[in-house]
Amino acid sequence: MTSYQQHAPSAAVTTATDREIHIERIFNASRDRVFAAWTDPTLIPEWWGPRNTTTIVDKMDVRAGGDYRFVSRNSDGSESGFRGTYREVSPPERIVQTFEWEGMPGHVCVETATFEDLGDRTKVVTTSLFHTTEERHGMLGSGMEGGMNETYARLDELLERLAGAA
Amino acid sequence: MTSYQQHAPSAAVTTATDREIHIERIFNASRDRVFAAWTDPTLIPEWWGPRNTTTIVDKMDVRAGGDYRFVSRNSDGSESGFRGTYREVSPPERIVQTFEWEGMPGHVCVETATFEDLGDRTKVVTTSLFHTTEERHGMLGSGMEGGMNETYARLDELLERLAGAA
């Protein structure tokens, strides 16, 4: 597991249009397993969010029209809520959901995640679409990229543990 | 009141950009009174929605970060939910809120309403910003314009009743 912490690959973050953030990342696990980790409420606390936070799944109804809400608790006890609605859930290929940080209520982006089968690896591409360039700018300036790389490194580790347990 | 039903002015609906709907309408009441009608949960059922519907205010927390949810009941008993979050509430000038029809969950637009003081009249300008042109197209095709003109005609009538009662 240490190897991942030290050598976890960075995700490729690009901004194709002025309202989008596009992220690509390859995981060393089958698509079914990556999709399952992505959508299982009991596994979310194992990987979602930076390492120094604890994630509580308040609600996670993974189906079109279902809502989710995660609470991220920092080491100092402060909490931050994240919520949204699933628009499309097509296992194991595609999820479209809204995303809103409760610290900026009403600023809602749409996240599309696609899972590409590369055999024993999986490419995950997420695209976040914002209403305005300013909102995207806020997200890029929020430390998102570091947090996301940490989150993805934690997902690497979880997938390795699940493979070991299988 | 009958005069309004027969001769209510149409609102001016324009589409300045490919993701917006812009609507202008003048009401025969002071800005304070229009803003109050717009933001008072007890008055919403008196004007919000087409005439053949009954609106129930499930939640309406008019402050930045507050949520609202309205249920529109049709004459056949079927119901439709509408919800969102207030981003900015600046009496009596401006409200920014998200808007989502629960029939298309996760399709969220941002509505900005400004109230311009014209003395004993008030110009209300609303701009709806969608994530995509397709979502705006869906809204324009939903019968929105007719419903909105009926809603605004009902607001004319309410404002006339409130003036009579004052």
Side-chain angles (χ1 to χ4, degrees):
Chain A
M1 267 177 279
T2 311
S3 63
Y4 280 111
Q5 292 190 36
Q6 291 175 344
H7 308 294
S10 288
V13 179
T14 55
T15 51
T17 74
D18 64 356
R19 293 192 291 119
E20 286 178 292
I21 299 173
H22 184 93
I23 298 171
E24 299 197 3
R25 175 67 147 76
I26 290 175
F27 295 94
N28 288 317
S30 71
R31 180 163 73 169
D32 282 345
R33 202 179 285 277
V34 174
F35 194 90
W38 206 273
T39 52
D40 183 337
T42 69
L43 294 178
I44 292 294
E46 309 261 341
W47 66 277
W48 199 90
R51 290 185 198 284
N52 59 354
T53 63
T54 303
T55 298
I56 298 110
V57 175
D58 177 36
K59 188 166 29 174
M60 188 173 171
D61 183 13
V62 190
R63 57 177 182 85
D67 294 328
Y68 71 91
R69 181 170 185 267
F70 300 165
V71 176
S72 180
R73 186 175 296 153
N74 295 304
S75 46
D76 66 1
S78 63
E79 294 187 344
S80 234
F82 300 86
R83 64 175 171 171
T85 300
Y86 296 100
R87 269 164 49 164
E88 179 188 335
V89 178
S90 304
E93 287 173 10
R94 191 175 137 97
I95 301 173
V96 184
Q97 67 196 70
T98 61
F99 175 86
E100 181 179 359
W101 172 47
E102 292 178 355
M104 285 191 63
H107 292 267
V108 180
C109 73
V110 180
E111 293 185 343
T112 301
T114 59
F115 302 79
E116 187 184 342
D117 185 351
L118 304 177
D120 53 1
R121 300 193 305 159
T122 304
K123 185 198 239 183
V124 179
V125 178
T126 62
T127 302
S128 303
L129 177 65
F130 298 80
H131 276 114
T132 63
T133 304
E134 292 68 32
E135 286 171 297
R136 186 192 65 173
H137 186 75
M139 176 67 92
L140 288 172
S142 70
M144 169 219 79
E145 192 167 345
M148 189 263 303
N149 277 320
E150 221 168 294
T151 284
Y152 281 0
R154 293 182 68 197
L155 182 52
D156 282 332
E157 294 161 25
L158 171 64
L159 292 167
E160 193 178 53
R161 288 200 298 279
L162 293 173
Chain B
M1 271 177 274
T2 311
S3 63
Y4 281 111
Q5 292 189 33
Q6 292 176 343
H7 308 295
S10 288
V13 179
T14 54
T15 50
T17 74
D18 64 356
R19 293 192 292 121
E20 286 177 295
I21 299 173
H22 183 94
I23 298 171
E24 300 197 1
R25 176 66 147 72
I26 289 173
F27 295 94
N28 288 318
S30 71
R31 181 163 71 167
D32 281 344
R33 202 180 283 277
V34 174
F35 193 91
W38 208 272
T39 51
D40 184 337
T42 68
L43 294 179
I44 292 294
E46 308 261 339
W47 67 277
W48 198 91
R51 291 186 195 282
N52 58 355
T53 64
T54 303
T55 297
I56 298 110
V57 175
D58 177 35
K59 186 166 30 175
M60 189 174 171
D61 183 13
V62 189
R63 58 177 180 86
D67 293 328
Y68 71 90
R69 182 169 185 268
F70 300 166
V71 176
S72 179
R73 186 175 296 153
N74 295 304
S75 46
D76 65 2
S78 62
E79 294 187 343
S80 235
F82 300 87
R83 63 175 170 171
T85 301
Y86 296 100
R87 273 166 44 165
E88 179 188 333
V89 179
S90 305
E93 286 174 10
R94 190 174 140 97
I95 301 174
V96 184
Q97 67 196 72
T98 61
F99 175 87
E100 181 179 359
W101 172 49
E102 292 177 356
M104 284 190 66
H107 292 267
V108 180
C109 72
V110 179
E111 294 186 343
T112 301
T114 59
F115 301 80
E116 186 183 344
D117 184 350
L118 304 176
D120 54 1
R121 299 192 307 157
T122 303
K123 184 198 238 183
V124 179
V125 178
T126 63
T127 302
S128 303
L129 177 65
F130 297 81
H131 276 115
T132 63
T133 304
E134 291 68 31
E135 286 170 297
R136 185 191 67 174
H137 186 76
M139 176 68 92
L140 288 170
S142 70
M144 171 218 79
E145 189 165 346
M148 189 262 306
N149 277 320
E150 221 168 292
T151 284
Y152 281 180
R154 293 181 68 198
L155 181 53
D156 281 332
E157 295 161 25
L158 170 64
L159 292 167
E160 191 177 58
R161 287 199 300 278
L162 293 173

